[in-house]
Structure formats: structure tokens, C-alpha cells
Amino acid sequence: MTRIDAKFADLKSRGKKAFVAYVMAGDPDFDRSLEIVRGLPGAGVDVIELGLPFTDPMADGPTIQLAGQRALEGGMTLTRTLDLARAFREQDQETPIVLMGYYNPIYSMGVDKFLPAAKEAGIDGLIIVDLPPEEDIELCLPAQDAGLNFIRLATPTTDDKRLPRVMQNTSGFVYYVSITGITGAAQAEAADVRPEVERIKAAADLPVIVGFGVTTPQKARAIAEVADGVVIGSAIVNKIAGGESTEDVLRFVASLAEGAHSA
């Protein structure tokens, strides 16, 4: 059982919904990023999604793109991202970390080198947005053999014919992208999300966490009421981009977590 599996089992036993927070590793710099990440569990975050900076983030909107650019300009790499996770684990051995990004940096390092390094650094799961199920042999299956969850995205355009293939070999949880388009592009609506969550849960016995288009505590609660939890990224990254202090960023995160946990 991974930390992700254990976390969702615990939340379910307590009748609680999950709050997942996304931040870009190395944004605005390594030290500040580590400070923020270390503060997330205390702000109520159940699972940390750690963005892996990449030069061509095709699924991300301007907010996440610029965060990745800032991180890359500051010297952030895949190796440094694992260093950040390793430093986080010096103080926290319980909070799950999901590494979210694109396959190119992993391919460049080499899967055989990356997987043991990620496991040793304390990474618990992967969301690699540009690897479809047809490429499971590339990373998904080796990752699961190494003890990492491989978390798949489902979208409004994932029809009933495609859904079983998408759910095959998925573990940890399913990330439902509530809108079509890029991150930060529109607002998620609970009425639209509910039937999609039910459809996914009928196809996979896994928690369904909803992301994209959630920006406020009120929206977090509304979405968490119809899913197993909610992911928020762009709204948090915007606070970091605006130069707000770590305390203010974490205060905002705490308000989002309170919204999700009140569902």
C-alpha cells in the first residue's frame, strides 16, 4: 500500500473528502518552493501534487506555464525536483507526493534511472499527461512494479468506449479534468461534474478527484460534495506569482482546504 492508498483509505474511514494542492517545483526558487511545500500539510493539504518544470507544457494555461518558466530560469531540473522532494521527506514521512508533468524529462534521464531515484526521494505517484494507455509499457507498468501509483486523467471527452482503456492500469486515484481546454481556462460546475464522477466510479474502483476550474473555497466545497476530493493548482500558483508571502499563500491554501473538507 502506497502513501496515496493509505491516505484515501484513512479519509474514507473518516467520511472526509481529499484536498489536493498543486505547486510547481522550484517556483519562484528552490528555497521558497521548499518552504511552501513544507507548509502545505499544516494548511490542510492531504496530497501534494508537485509540478515538474518543462519547456513545452501543452496542457497548461498561462499561470502554470509561467511558473514552469520561472522554475527553469532558476535552474530547476528533474534531479533538483527530486532533491526538493527528498528535503521535504526529512520533515514529513506521511504526506503523499504525486509528481505531475510530461514524459520528456523522465525519458531524458532514463526510466531505469528515474524510478529508483523517485522512489528514494519519496515520490508516491506519477501523473504524466502526455503518455496515453497505449504507451503503458514505457512508464506506467515499470512505475507500478517499482511501487509507485500511476494516476490517469479522464476528461469530458473520454467516452464510454475509451474509458475502460484509460482506467486500465490506473492506480491511486483518477484525476477528472472537469473542463475541456487548458488549466485555469474556465470554472468547474458541480452539476456537470456529478454524472461524470459517477460514470468513472462505475468503471474503476478508485477515488475520483476533480481538478481544473476550481479557484475558491466555495467552489472547492461544491466540487468535493460530488467527488472524492478536489485539486487546486492555478489559484495557488497565482498567489505565488503575485509575490505574496509564504504565510499568505498558506493562509489561502488553508481556506481552500477548509472548503473541501467541509463537504
Side-chain angles (χ1 to χ4, degrees):
M1 178 177 284
T2 66
R3 290 186 186 93
I4 296 169
D5 299 328
K7 174 60 70 173
F8 281 104
D10 175 63
L11 288 168
K12 184 177 181 179
S13 72
R14 295 188 288 118
K16 291 287 188 179
K17 301 300 180 74
F19 178 62
V20 183
Y22 171 99
V23 293
M24 179 66 70
D27 177 36
D29 56 59
F30 184 95
D31 291 341
R32 176 88 192 286
S33 180
L34 177 59
E35 184 180 50
I36 292 169
V37 172
R38 280 178 167 165
L40 292 176
V45 173
D46 298 302
V47 178
I48 296 169
E49 270 186 22
L50 193 59
L52 174 59
F54 181 51
T55 51
D56 300 290
M58 59 187 177
D60 296 313
T63 296
I64 304 298
Q65 286 187 27
L66 290 171
Q69 200 168 23
R70 289 190 297 270
L72 291 169
E73 289 171 355
M76 208 62 182
T77 62
L78 174 51
T79 299
R80 290 284 282 159
T81 299
L82 296 182
D83 287 343
L84 192 150
R86 193 176 293 108
F88 172 83
R89 287 283 174 234
E90 292 172 359
Q91 299 182 6
D92 187 316
Q93 286 292 324
E94 294 184 4
T95 306
I97 299 176
V98 175
L99 188 65
M100 183 172 186
Y102 300 83
Y103 184 45
N104 185 275
I106 296 170
Y107 178 80
S108 297
M109 176 182 282
V111 170
D112 290 347
K113 183 179 178 182
F114 165 73
L115 289 175
K119 186 73 175 175
E120 183 273 331
I123 300 297
D124 303 293
L126 304 174
I127 300 175
I128 308 300
V129 300
D130 55 348
L131 272 183
E134 288 75 14
E135 305 297 335
D136 275 358
I137 196 169
E138 283 281 330
L139 182 62
C140 172
L141 297 179
Q144 302 212 71
D145 287 343
L148 298 171
N149 290 123
F150 197 88
I151 296 146
R152 197 85 71 185
L153 303 176
T155 75
T157 60
T158 306
D159 62 21
D160 289 339
K161 183 179 179 180
R162 179 67 174 166
L163 186 60
R165 186 65 181 268
V166 172
M167 294 301 101
Q168 185 179 358
N169 299 324
T170 300
S171 64
F173 61 91
V174 179
Y175 187 137
Y176 178 65
V177 177
S178 64
I179 59 172
T180 55
I182 55 176
T183 56
Q187 289 290 309
E189 297 299 334
D192 298 328
V193 168
R194 183 191 296 273
E196 292 300 303
V197 169
E198 292 172 352
R199 186 168 69 95
I200 294 166
K201 290 182 78 68
D205 185 23
L206 289 169
V208 179
I209 309 303
V210 177
F212 285 49
V214 184
T215 57
T216 66
Q218 295 76 18
K219 185 69 72 174
R221 175 173 181 167
I223 296 299
E225 284 177 346
V226 301
D228 296 302
V230 62
V231 184
I232 299 181
S234 293
I236 298 169
V237 174
N238 268 328
K239 296 289 184 180
I240 298 170
E244 296 197 18
S245 68
T246 298
E247 292 75 17
D248 286 342
V249 171
L250 295 176
R251 193 173 297 116
F252 175 65
V253 171
S255 72
L256 299 172
E258 185 177 355
H261 291 150
S262 66

